[in-house]
Amino acid sequence: MKTIRIIKGDITQVAVDAIVNAANTSLLGGGGVDGAIHRKGGAEILEECQKIRAKQGGCGVGEAVVTTAGNLPAQYVIHTVGPTWRKGENNEAILLENAYRNSFKLAESLQLKTVAFPNISTGVYRFPKQAAAQVALRTICEELNKGQSVQEVIFVCFDDENLKIYQEIKADFLSQDIEIM
Ligand code: ADP
């Protein structure tokens, strides 16, 4: 039985194999959760991001790359880039799905067991929270069912609004193979 856990908190304090960062395409840090991760994780994370930039020029929307987690309690940071909401007319839902899916697949390829996600794109990028939560839960349930390695995904909600939405819709995603708590 695999597990999805919905909690309220600060993702920089979560001790899992990997936390996911809602980064931007530059990988050079920004505000919101990205700023918090770089601030608390230390310079090592940015150094590895700069190496990735030198090699492949950043990270595309919906893609994911991995670095050390520096001083954070996690082992790795998986940096993904969610879409900026532009009236929903620019493939935003697909791009958000890709961000969750590619982050999960990267965790699988590293043979990780536990991964924590923030509510990607629902801050500065203004993706409507309810729709974003649907995409997040649907995509992660699909991937947990297909995957081998990852046993537990934690959705770390930073604001009460996201927490309430996840709590409200989780019943729609219950199955025999995944418990949602
Ligand atoms: P984006 O640009 O993808 O919208 P933001 O960082 O602005 O990224 O917001 C994404 C989500 O991360 C928002 O729901 C925001 O409330 C949340 N967030 C901000 N700081 C933290 C944190 N320390 N831990 C977890 N989530 C956070």
Side-chain angles (χ1 to χ4, degrees):
M1 184 83 141
K2 294 178 180 177
T3 304
I4 291 175
R5 211 176 282 280
I6 297 161
I7 65 168
K8 184 168 182 221
D10 174 352
I11 203 165
T12 64
Q13 295 179 3
V14 180
V16 280
D17 295 335
I19 62 168
V20 175
N21 181 17
N24 57 56
T25 54
S26 79
L27 295 177
L28 293 178
V33 68
D34 195 9
I37 286 171
H38 281 283
R39 217 165 31 244
K40 296 187 187 164
E44 224 186 324
I45 299 177
L46 187 58
E47 281 162 25
E48 287 193 18
C49 284
Q50 278 161 337
K51 283 182 193 154
I52 294 167
R53 265 174 72 83
K55 213 168 70 180
Q56 64 181 59
C59 181
V61 178
E63 292 172 9
V65 299
V66 65
T67 67
T68 173
N71 303 324
L72 297 174
Q75 296 300 307
Y76 297 100
V77 176
I78 293 173
H79 305 261
T80 191
V81 183
T84 305
W85 181 259
R86 295 191 184 90
K87 300 185 187 168
E89 293 166 354
N90 293 275
N91 263 335
E92 289 94 325
I94 302 280
L95 292 168
L96 185 62
E97 177 179 326
N98 290 348
Y100 278 98
R101 198 180 301 286
N102 288 323
S103 299
F104 187 96
K105 283 183 192 280
L106 191 47
E108 278 283 323
S109 74
L110 294 163
Q111 297 186 302
L112 307 184
K113 297 264 178 261
T114 53
V115 183
F117 283 89
N119 308 130
I120 300 166
S121 284
T122 68
V124 174
Y125 285 178
R126 303 180 323 274
F127 200 116
K129 290 178 181 176
Q130 174 88 23
Q134 297 276 357
V135 169
L137 274 163
R138 177 171 44 74
T139 306
I140 291 306
C141 284
E142 266 174 41
E143 289 303 321
L144 277 170
N145 280 324
K146 282 194 276 185
Q148 306 288 321
S149 182
V150 177
Q151 300 297 313
E152 180 170 326
V153 168
I154 305 176
F155 286 107
V156 183
C157 302
F158 195 64
D159 54 276
D160 288 320
E161 197 186 348
N162 264 310
L163 181 69
K164 186 159 172 273
I165 289 168
Y166 274 76
Q167 295 291 7
E168 277 169 6
I169 70 172
K170 70 178 181 188
D172 300 340
F173 297 90
L174 286 174
S175 74
Q176 286 187 332
D177 305 310
I178 303 171
E179 63 175 345
I180 308 183
M181 37 205 290

